[in-house]
Amino acid sequence: MAGRNTLGSLFGRSPIGPIQEHMQVAFEAAEHLPELVQASADEDWNRAKEIYKAIIESEKNADKMKRDVRRHLPKSLFLPVPRSDLLVLVGIQDQVANTAQDFASILMGRDMRFPEKLAPAVHELTQTSVACCGQALAAIQELDELLEVGFSGREVKRVEAMLNELDKLERRTDKQQFNLRRKLFKLEDELHPVDVMFYYRATALLGSLADCAEKVGDHLQILLAK
C-alpha cells in the first residue's frame, strides 16, 4: 500500500514489524504448554524435555528481541502513538513468554503430573490460556494496519471486536481456574501437602498467562483511545 511504502521510504524498516515478531515468539513459548501438560500426564519425560527446550529457546529469543527493540526503536517517530507506549507494549508482551517458561519450569523441575481427577480441568485451562495468547497475537498483528489508517475507521472497530473476544476468553479462564481450585481443594487430604502447594502455584501461573495476554490487549486498547 502507498502509506506503507511512504513510511518505509522515510524510515527504512517499520518499527512495528519487530514488535509484531516479538509477540509471535512470545506466543510460541506459550503454545507448547498443552503438549507439555499432555506429555507429563503420559509420563513421557523424554518428550517433555524436548518440549521444554523449545519453550526455553522461545523465551530466550523473546528476551533478545525485546532488548533489540529497546535499543533500536527510533527516538523520533512520525506515528500516532508515542515511542514510550510501544516500549511498554514490548515489555508486556515479554511477560507472556516469561510466564509460560515459569509454568514449564515448575512442571519439569518436579516431574509434575497432575492427579487424574484434575487432568481434564488442567488441560481445559491450559488450552484456554493459550487461546488468550493467540488472540492477543492476532490483535497485535493488526498494529501495522492501524498505523496506516491513523488508528481510525473500520480497522479500529475490527480490532476492538478482537479485543472483546480476548476479554471473553480471559473471563473463561477465571471460571476454569476457580473450578480447578475447587476440585483441588476437595482432593487436598489425599495428596502430599508439598505437591498441593505446587499444584496451586502451577494453576495460578496458567491464570497469569491469560492475564498477561489480556494486558497486551488492554495496552493496545489504550493505544486505540489516543
Side-chain angles (χ1 to χ4, degrees):
M1 294 184 180
R4 182 176 295 173
N5 291 336
T6 300
L7 183 64
S9 64
L10 284 173
F11 305 109
R13 189 184 185 195
S14 167
I16 302 307
I19 294 173
Q20 292 171 319
E21 291 168 11
H22 176 264
M23 185 59 201
Q24 174 66 47
V25 174
F27 171 70
E28 288 170 3
E31 72 174 338
H32 290 295
L33 295 184
E35 57 181 330
L36 179 64
V37 170
Q38 184 59 58
S40 73
D42 297 337
E43 295 187 278
D44 186 350
W45 297 113
N46 288 331
R47 173 65 178 151
K49 286 177 183 177
E50 292 303 313
I51 299 167
Y52 181 57
K53 287 179 183 177
I55 293 171
I56 294 295
E57 187 65 23
S58 292
E59 193 278 334
K60 287 181 179 178
N61 288 339
D63 263 351
K64 181 178 183 300
M65 294 175 74
K66 176 187 67 178
R67 292 192 296 269
D68 287 344
V69 170
R70 287 174 172 174
R71 282 198 300 264
H72 302 301
L73 188 66
K75 296 187 183 300
S76 297
L77 293 173
F78 296 111
L79 295 174
V81 293
R83 176 179 182 271
S84 58
D85 282 340
L86 296 178
L87 292 174
V88 169
L89 178 60
V90 171
I92 297 171
Q93 291 178 172
D94 205 57
Q95 293 174 16
V96 171
N98 292 342
T99 305
Q101 179 180 296
D102 288 345
F103 173 83
S105 295
I106 285 183
L107 209 69
M108 295 303 297
R110 293 182 56 80
D111 287 345
M112 181 184 291
R113 181 177 182 271
F114 286 93
E116 289 185 10
K117 292 180 181 179
L118 296 180
V122 172
H123 282 287
E124 183 181 50
L125 176 58
T126 305
Q127 293 280 4
T128 310
S129 294
V130 173
C132 286
C133 299
Q135 188 68 12
L137 170 63
I140 290 298
Q141 296 291 25
E142 300 298 316
L143 188 53
D144 53 348
E145 298 294 334
L146 287 168
L147 289 170
E148 280 192 5
V149 298
F151 285 80
S152 62
R154 293 181 180 178
E155 181 66 17
V156 170
K157 292 182 179 180
R158 193 162 81 88
V159 173
E160 286 178 340
M162 297 170 74
L163 296 179
N164 286 337
E165 180 61 27
L166 173 55
D167 288 341
K168 290 179 183 178
L169 286 168
E170 194 279 331
R171 288 196 296 272
R172 188 184 303 169
T173 65
D174 288 340
K175 293 178 181 178
Q176 291 171 344
Q177 188 176 4
F178 177 82
N179 291 335
L180 177 54
R181 284 174 171 168
R182 289 297 300 171
K183 292 177 186 293
L184 179 54
F185 171 72
K186 293 177 182 178
L187 292 176
E188 283 182 6
D189 290 342
E190 304 173 22
L191 303 170
H192 192 286
V194 175
D195 289 338
V196 170
M197 180 183 69
F198 278 99
Y199 290 146
Y200 276 119
R201 176 58 180 155
T203 299
L205 283 169
L206 288 175
S208 295
L209 182 65
D211 291 342
C212 291
E214 185 184 38
K215 287 177 183 177
V216 172
D218 287 345
H219 195 70
L220 184 53
Q221 188 77 57
I222 291 172
L223 298 184
L224 294 178
K226 290 190 175 183

